[in-house]
Amino acid sequence: MARDKPTAGIEIKVHSRHGEHEVQPAAARSRPSGTSPIEFGQYRPFKKFLGRFSFQPLKENPLLGPSSSTLEKMGALEVDKVVYGHQAWRLISCLWLHAGVFHILANMLSLVFIGIRLEQEFGFVRIGMLYIVSGFGGSLMSALFIQSGISVGASGALFGLLGGMLSELLTNWTIYANKLAALLTLLFIIVINLAVGVLPHVDNFAHIGGFISGFLLGFVFLVRPQFGWVSQRNAPRGNSSTSKSKYKPYQYVLWVVSLVLLIAGFAVGLVFLFRGENMNDRCSWCHYLSCIPTSKWSCNSQKFSCETSQLGNQLNMTCLSNGRSGSYSLTNSSSTEAEKICSQLCS
């Protein structure tokens, strides 16, 4: 699941919750009378080659896709709108949105390799339910741990399919011929995909939440009946062979335990989410599950907050965290330049 920060206008104010600061449009602190607030995007609107179906410039969205503001309007996951705007539907709608052509191609390619076999064996309904519920679980965990910016994509649902494949292998262990080879291969694929999630700008919490949800749902939706029960159904009438149950006892136990854990986990997660909890406050090391800082990149996602006023090409900006202020001459009209200036002023 891709996570991006929303585009902002030139006028910026602090929006703080749990110590996180986000850049968002706001009224300017001072503005000459008779003038209206001016945003960077209003100066040089780029020419749209395909009208409403065009992409953003590559420097704004290298994935060949729409702007963050467009994704937000279409239903991207944004925690503030879910918690304070009562838009819980964003936990589901974000699954059907992607940051760009490259993003959706990567996800659909993964879905072809993972989903086709499962759907052929277990049917559209069960795999469809596993996909959607796992995606919801990924969105829920993402919202609990990453509460800045927006998030889109079906990666959580795809990891749910991987989790379902693992639980299906375990609960139907006796029917597989090369058990160990199948288990090691699947674990290798899962570990590699989760390892990629520790890179910056990748929402690994959505991956983990989707995987856990899919793993538990696999014990519920992907259980196969015993071979003996199937043979008994196909046997001629009047056969006096001993009647066998459809499922083994451990399959029933896993079914009940998994369902209880899934319902309890969703209930607790939703309660924490709508109470405005940031789970990083309760787990000081959990942020390393989504990004591990190295000498090559930083995981600092802090967003500085500034308040500005502008007249022509002259920009006056004040950092709200340290009180520093300055005047700058704009060389181009992009919101990226304003964010860079604000970051430099606050750092």
Side-chain angles (χ1 to χ4, degrees), residues 167-176 222-224 250-251:
S167 56
E168 187 271 332
L169 174 62
L170 296 177
T171 192
N172 303 315
W173 183 258
T174 57
I175 70 172
Y176 282 89
L222 309 184
V223 184
R224 299 176 189 267
Y250 77 87
Q251 291 176 317

Side-chain angles (χ1 to χ4, degrees), residues 36-170:
S36 58
I38 304 174
E39 297 186 357
F40 272 121
Q42 295 176 346
Y43 287 108
R44 297 177 185 174
F46 60 88
K47 295 180 180 180
K48 296 184 176 181
F49 179 67
L50 296 175
R52 67 174 65 240
F53 299 103
S54 63
F55 302 135
Q56 290 295 98
L58 289 178
K59 64 180 181 180
E60 295 183 24
N61 189 343
L63 297 176
L64 292 181
S67 65
S68 297
S69 60
T70 299
L71 291 171
E72 180 184 342
K73 292 176 182 177
M74 295 298 292
L77 176 59
E78 186 176 1
V79 177
D80 284 345
K81 284 185 168 54
V82 172
V83 177
Y84 303 110
H86 308 291
Q87 299 178 8
W89 49 267
R90 289 180 178 269
L91 293 168
I92 294 292
S93 62
C94 65
L95 303 179
W96 316 110
L97 298 174
H98 289 79
V101 173
F102 295 141
H103 187 199
I104 193 172
L105 284 178
N107 276 357
M108 293 307 100
L109 186 63
S110 301
L111 185 60
V112 167
F113 285 106
I114 298 173
I116 287 181
R117 184 188 71 84
L118 288 175
E119 186 173 333
Q120 288 175 340
E121 295 185 12
F122 296 99
F124 167 78
V125 174
R126 284 195 281 181
I127 299 305
M129 288 294 296
L130 190 150
Y131 183 89
I132 294 175
V133 177
S134 296
F136 173 80
S139 298
L140 180 58
M141 180 165 282
S142 174
L144 288 171
F145 284 94
I146 304 180
Q147 302 192 344
S148 60
I150 64 174
S151 183
V152 294
S155 300
L158 292 172
F159 270 80
L161 295 182
L162 285 175
M165 291 176 66
L166 179 59
S167 56
E168 187 271 332
L169 174 62
L170 296 177

Side-chain angles (χ1 to χ4, degrees), residues 6-12 23-26 38-41 308 335 338-339:
T7 56
I10 180 61
E11 301 187 70
I12 306 166
V23 178
Q24 293 190 349
I38 304 174
E39 297 186 357
F40 272 121
T308 70
S335 59
E339 294 179 14

Side-chain angles (χ1 to χ4, degrees), residues 30-331:
S30 61
R31 184 170 67 242
S33 61
T35 63
S36 58
I38 304 174
E39 297 186 357
F40 272 121
Q42 295 176 346
Y43 287 108
R44 297 177 185 174
F46 60 88
K47 295 180 180 180
K48 296 184 176 181
F49 179 67
L50 296 175
R52 67 174 65 240
F53 299 103
S54 63
F55 302 135
Q56 290 295 98
L58 289 178
K59 64 180 181 180
E60 295 183 24
N61 189 343
L63 297 176
L64 292 181
S67 65
S68 297
S69 60
T70 299
L71 291 171
E72 180 184 342
K73 292 176 182 177
M74 295 298 292
L77 176 59
E78 186 176 1
V79 177
D80 284 345
K81 284 185 168 54
V82 172
V83 177
Y84 303 110
H86 308 291
Q87 299 178 8
W89 49 267
R90 289 180 178 269
L91 293 168
I92 294 292
S93 62
C94 65
L95 303 179
W96 316 110
L97 298 174
H98 289 79
V101 173
F102 295 141
H103 187 199
I104 193 172
L105 284 178
N107 276 357
M108 293 307 100
L109 186 63
S110 301
L111 185 60
V112 167
F113 285 106
I114 298 173
I116 287 181
R117 184 188 71 84
L118 288 175
E119 186 173 333
Q120 288 175 340
E121 295 185 12
F122 296 99
F124 167 78
V125 174
R126 284 195 281 181
I127 299 305
M129 288 294 296
L130 190 150
Y131 183 89
I132 294 175
V133 177
S134 296
F136 173 80
S139 298
L140 180 58
M141 180 165 282
S142 174
L144 288 171
F145 284 94
I146 304 180
Q147 302 192 344
S148 60
I150 64 174
S151 183
V152 294
S155 300
L158 292 172
F159 270 80
L161 295 182
L162 285 175
M165 291 176 66
L166 179 59
S167 56
E168 187 271 332
L169 174 62
L170 296 177
T171 192
N172 303 315
W173 183 258
T174 57
I175 70 172
Y176 282 89
N178 300 319
K179 300 178 178 61
L180 186 59
L183 179 61
L184 291 178
T185 301
L186 185 56
L187 287 176
F188 176 78
I189 295 173
I190 292 170
V191 169
I192 292 298
N193 280 275
L194 288 175
V196 173
V198 302
L199 298 174
H201 310 299
V202 179
D203 187 359
N204 210 29
F205 284 114
H207 299 170
I208 296 172
F211 177 80
I212 294 175
S213 301
F215 181 73
L216 295 175
L217 283 170
F219 292 117
V220 178
F221 289 150
L222 309 184
V223 184
R224 299 176 189 267
Q226 293 190 65
F227 179 76
W229 180 85
V230 175
S231 301
Q232 176 181 298
R233 291 189 62 188
N234 297 328
R237 292 185 178 181
N239 194 324
S240 59
S241 59
T242 305
S243 177
K244 292 188 177 182
S245 62
K246 186 174 182 179
Y247 301 110
K248 294 186 177 181
Y250 77 87
Q251 291 176 317
Y252 286 109
V253 172
L254 289 174
W255 192 94
V256 174
V257 172
S258 299
L259 191 60
V260 170
L261 289 176
L262 187 70
I263 295 174
F266 281 177
V268 172
L270 288 171
V271 169
F272 280 132
L273 176 62
F274 288 107
R275 285 174 53 186
E277 295 279 350
N278 185 339
M279 297 307 294
N280 289 295
D281 297 337
R282 298 174 177 268
C283 179
S284 59
W285 55 268
C286 285
H287 61 279
Y288 291 116
L289 294 175
S290 187
C291 183
I292 299 178
T294 69
S295 59
K296 301 295 183 181
W297 62 73
S298 172
C299 296
N300 183 16
S301 61
Q302 181 181 8
K303 296 177 178 61
F304 300 105
S305 304
C306 297
E307 191 165 316
T308 70
S309 62
Q310 181 178 348
L311 183 61
N313 289 333
Q314 188 69 24
L315 173 68
N316 299 314
M317 181 174 290
T318 302
C319 176
L320 295 179
S321 60
N322 56 26
R324 295 178 184 174
S325 60
S327 298
Y328 306 89
S329 296
L330 301 179
T331 58

